[in-house]
């Protein structure tokens, strides 16, 4: 049982992800559900899958049979997240993530990291746009109420570059090797998983449902 | 004490099955009726998506022919290949193609739970292991344990459960030792005498116990044998009579 009291303070939840990862994309709904259902403090952190890719992007390796791979991923998405799968648009190249990570830091400083990350994911996976372009990120910023011009200046001046590299190092130091990787208090889940798994992890740590809190339920300190 | 089971698949009938739109042929090689090992052999028709599921015991999938592609980009199984999961660990969906032929090997009956069952998702083994390896991607090693025979550790013993493909010289005598948590020995090529039975591919022996079984006597043309050893996870899970077990048993019954 937990020796923490998560009625008083939120459980820290960190998601290490890359915008170009389809499994991270469909984790959006689960993470949103988690924030809706439990008292958690969510932080979205970068894990860069393809640092070797240049800003203009790179073709998928020919030996990776991109069409087959896409079909396989789509079959998986249809089973795991049918609503997202119905609208998914696969990119035609491996996109460059670093600018999007910098933009996420920009949004973080303005308290809009969570809606911004969703906007970036949907820009890529629904609209099929290239997130390696400043203009794409600025359009996503605009959607969530960020100053697109200011973001453009921040990206051009590489204002958040160092911070992103530190965040990427943090992910490496933490042993993150899969996207998405979820750290939920004392538990780590590597790779996409069912929402019910997150519920189980919350219960194991004595994190009450928000609905229970609102109904006046107050668990004891031992979580019972 | 030593428990042994011998299976000669050549004498076991095939039956046709269909589940969730997936057509296949199936052999029940060991039915686990005594609470002991359960082995099914499946030949899926080409199928882009076999639904995500889990079993209530640890499991080896031994791909004898064809291919299985999982969502993870690096997980493309090409025969000969092995895929292991701990009890209550979900996997898939996966695509099967190319003349698929696979053995599913459990230390005890494992049932079948579709991950569409939301209650079942609450029973997922959060610390479960998921291991795999293919013969093509694994280098040969000379292993002292098997009279210096060449072997490919598709899943090396340091992982806990292991899958080792041993290439045996004609007439070699292979001492395989006891198997406290259970071990399958599957003849992939050639022939071998196991516990008094001459086995041709994909004949198998299952041994469970501290005592060593009789050594494997390799036939005149040599043999390739896959050793699939369980570890302590084989003691976990199983059909306990709870709601999930009943559902798992019913699902496997429907599918075969």
């Amino acid at each position: 049982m937990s020796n923490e009291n998560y009625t008083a303070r939120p459980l820290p939840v960190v998601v290490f992800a890359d915008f170009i990862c389809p499994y991270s994309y469909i984790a959006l709904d689960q993470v949103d559900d988690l924030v809706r259902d439990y008292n958690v403090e969510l932080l979205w952190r970068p894990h860069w899958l393809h640092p070797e890719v240049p800003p203009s992007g790179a073709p998928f390796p020919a030996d990776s049979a991109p069409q087959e791979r896409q079909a396989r991923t789509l079959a998986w998405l249809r089973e795991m997240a049918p609503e997202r799968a119905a609208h998914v648009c696969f990119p035609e190249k491996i996109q460059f993530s670093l600018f999007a990570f910098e933009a996420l830091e920009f949004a973080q400083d303005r308290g809009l990291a969570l809606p911004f990350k969703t906007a970036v994911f949907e820009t890529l996976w629904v609209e099929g746009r290239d997130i390696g372009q400043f203009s794409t990120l600025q359009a996503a910023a605009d959607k969530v109420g960020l100053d697109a011009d200011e973001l453009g200046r921040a990206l051009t001046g590489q204002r958040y570059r160092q911070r992103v590299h530190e965040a990427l190092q943090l992910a490496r130091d933490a042993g993150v090797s899969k996207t998405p990787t979820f750290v939920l208090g004392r538990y780590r889940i590597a790779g996409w998983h069912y929402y019910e798994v997150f519920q189980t992890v919350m219960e194991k740590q004595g994190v009450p449902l928000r609905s229970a809190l609102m109904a006046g339920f107050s668990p004891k300190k031992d979580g019972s | 004490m030593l428990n042994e089971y011998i299976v000669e698949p050549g004498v076991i009938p095939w039956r046709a099955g269909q589940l969730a739109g997936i057509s296949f042929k199936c052999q029940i090689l060991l039915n686990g009726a005594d609470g002991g090992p359960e082995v099914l052999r499946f030949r899926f028709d080409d199928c882009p998506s076999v639904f995500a599921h889990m079993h209530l015991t640890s499991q080896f999938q031994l791909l004898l022919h064809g291919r299985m592609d999982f969502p993870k980009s690096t997980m493309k199984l090409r025969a000969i290949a092995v895929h292991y999961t701990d009890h209550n660990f979900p996997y898939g969906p996966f695509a099967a193609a190319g003349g698929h032929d696979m053995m599913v090997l459990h230390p005890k009956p494992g049932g079948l739970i579709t991950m569409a069952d939301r209650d079942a998702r609450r029973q997922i083994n959060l610390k479960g292991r998921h291991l795999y390896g293919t013969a093509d991607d694994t280098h040969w090693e000379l292993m002292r344990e098997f009279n210096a025979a060449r072997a490919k550790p598709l899943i090396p013993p340091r992982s806990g459960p292991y899958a080792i493909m041993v290439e045996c010289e004609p007439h070699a005598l292979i001492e395989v030792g006891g198997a406290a948590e259970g071990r399958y020995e599957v003849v992939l090529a050639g022939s071998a005498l196991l516990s008094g039975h001459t086995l041709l591919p994909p004949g198998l022996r299952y041994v469970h116990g501290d005592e060593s079984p009789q050594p494997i006597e390799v036939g005149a043309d040599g043999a390739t044998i896959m050793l699939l050893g369980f570890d302590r996870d084989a003691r976990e899970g199983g059909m306990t009579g709870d709601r999930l077990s009943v559902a798992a048993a019913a699902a496997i019954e429907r599918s075969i």
Side-chain angles (χ1 to χ4, degrees):
Chain A
M1 279 294 179
S2 167
N3 55 8
E4 300 284 351
N5 185 352
Y6 292 116
T7 59
R9 63 180 187 81
L11 179 84
V13 171
V14 185
V15 183
F16 293 93
D18 191 332
F19 294 107
I20 66 168
C21 165
Y23 310 109
S24 299
Y25 167 54
I26 68 156
L28 285 179
D29 298 325
Q30 294 162 305
V31 174
D32 285 349
D33 289 350
L34 201 63
V35 171
R36 180 198 63 206
D37 293 345
Y38 296 95
N39 185 22
V40 297
E41 184 175 57
L42 178 63
L43 188 60
W44 202 275
R45 297 282 73 201
H47 173 59
W48 200 2
L49 282 174
H50 289 288
E52 78 285 3
V53 167
S56 57
F60 290 105
D63 62 359
S64 72
Q67 298 294 330
E68 278 180 36
R69 185 175 168 178
Q70 187 172 310
R72 235 175 18 247
T73 306
L74 186 58
W76 187 85
L77 290 176
R78 282 187 179 131
E79 185 163 334
M80 302 307 171
E83 288 174 14
R84 292 273 180 194
H87 304 288
V88 77
C89 176
F90 284 93
E92 292 173 353
K93 62 180 180 181
I94 306 175
Q95 296 191 11
F96 184 72
S97 306
L98 187 66
F99 299 149
F101 294 150
E102 290 179 39
L104 183 64
E105 296 298 318
F106 174 89
Q108 177 82 30
D109 280 357
R110 287 150 187 81
L112 289 170
L114 299 186
F116 179 69
K117 61 99 175 80
T118 301
V120 174
F121 272 114
E122 292 182 345
T123 295
L124 193 167
W125 290 103
V126 180
E127 298 171 25
R129 298 183 64 184
D130 182 357
I131 62 164
Q133 303 279 331
F134 286 2
S135 58
T136 305
L137 297 170
Q138 286 175 294
D142 194 49
K143 277 184 193 166
V144 300
L146 287 164
D147 185 329
D149 292 334
E150 191 189 355
L151 173 61
R153 288 191 291 277
L155 291 171
T156 304
Q158 300 186 358
R159 211 180 294 165
Y160 292 91
R161 181 68 55 91
Q162 183 58 32
R163 227 166 89 175
V164 167
H165 281 302
E166 287 167 6
L168 292 169
Q169 186 60 46
L170 176 74
R172 284 191 290 272
D173 291 346
V176 172
S177 61
K178 274 186 170 180
T179 54
T181 289
F182 307 88
V183 180
L184 305 107
R186 302 190 309 274
Y187 286 77
R188 175 189 292 217
I189 298 171
W192 183 91
H193 232 308
Y194 299 96
Y195 184 62
E196 288 79 2
V197 168
F198 296 126
Q199 291 177 307
T200 302
V201 167
M202 290 291 121
E203 287 169 12
K204 281 177 181 283
Q205 296 180 98
V207 183
L209 283 163
R210 283 189 192 277
S211 57
L213 288 173
M214 291 175 73
F217 170 76
S218 181
K220 294 173 189 169
K221 206 170 181 183
D222 65 359
S224 60
Chain B
M1 174 138 177
L2 179 70
N3 292 313
E4 282 186 310
Y5 297 77
I6 296 285
V7 177
E8 297 176 58
V11 300
I12 296 172
W14 287 91
R15 52 175 84 180
Q18 195 160 47
L19 186 66
I22 305 158
S23 56
F24 57 84
K25 292 186 179 62
C26 173
Q27 277 183 310
I28 302 170
L29 302 182
L30 285 173
N31 63 15
D34 61 354
E38 179 185 67
V39 182
L40 304 171
R41 185 179 178 191
F42 289 100
R43 287 177 173 167
F44 288 115
D45 292 337
D46 286 6
C47 172
S49 185
V50 177
F51 58 90
H53 61 275
M54 68 180 185
H55 305 279
L56 302 183
T57 64
S58 42
Q59 169 184 273
F60 283 103
Q61 287 180 329
L62 172 57
L63 185 63
L64 298 167
H65 194 268
R67 57 184 194 266
M68 289 163 63
D69 288 342
F70 288 76
K72 188 176 176 182
S73 61
T74 55
M75 197 172 168
K76 292 179 181 177
L77 303 186
R78 303 288 179 269
I80 299 292
V82 175
H83 172 219
Y84 170 86
T85 46
D86 276 344
H87 77 286
N88 289 33
F89 192 85
Y91 59 93
F94 60 85
H100 174 268
D101 189 354
M102 166 183 77
M103 278 184 177
V104 175
L105 309 111
H106 298 282
K108 55 191 174 188
L112 173 72
I113 295 287
T114 167
M115 299 322 297
D117 180 339
R118 289 178 177 273
D119 291 338
R121 295 177 188 173
R122 300 302 293 269
Q123 307 296 322
I124 286 172
N125 178 2
L126 295 177
K127 294 182 177 170
R129 293 164 298 180
H130 182 233
L131 309 166
Y132 57 93
T134 70
D136 283 348
D137 293 335
T138 309
H139 295 297
W140 289 107
E141 296 178 13
L142 293 178
M143 300 189 77
R144 274 184 309 179
E145 300 91 317
F146 308 119
N147 292 352
R150 289 206 314 167
K152 287 189 175 194
L154 276 66
I155 298 175
R158 64 174 179 274
S159 308
Y162 61 85
I164 303 174
M165 190 170 84
V166 187
E167 187 184 60
C168 310
E169 295 291 323
H171 303 296
L173 203 59
I174 306 293
E175 299 274 359
V176 284
E181 307 296 354
R183 180 180 61 235
Y184 285 99
E185 300 154 357
V186 184
V187 179
L188 298 176
S191 66
L193 188 70
L194 289 97
S195 305
H197 298 259
T198 298
L199 298 182
L200 301 173
L204 65 87
R205 175 171 74 174
Y206 178 76
V207 294
H208 182 206
D210 294 325
E211 284 179 31
S212 293
Q214 289 179 22
I216 298 171
E217 297 179 49
V218 179
D221 296 325
T224 303
I225 295 169
M226 184 71 79
L227 305 177
L228 302 159
F230 293 100
D231 72 353
R232 65 188 181 287
D233 190 76
R235 299 180 200 169
E236 305 294 331
M239 312 295 265
T240 58
D242 64 1
R243 189 202 71 80
L244 200 61
S245 299
V246 171
I252 205 80
E253 192 69 27
R254 277 196 305 276
S255 63
I256 59 176

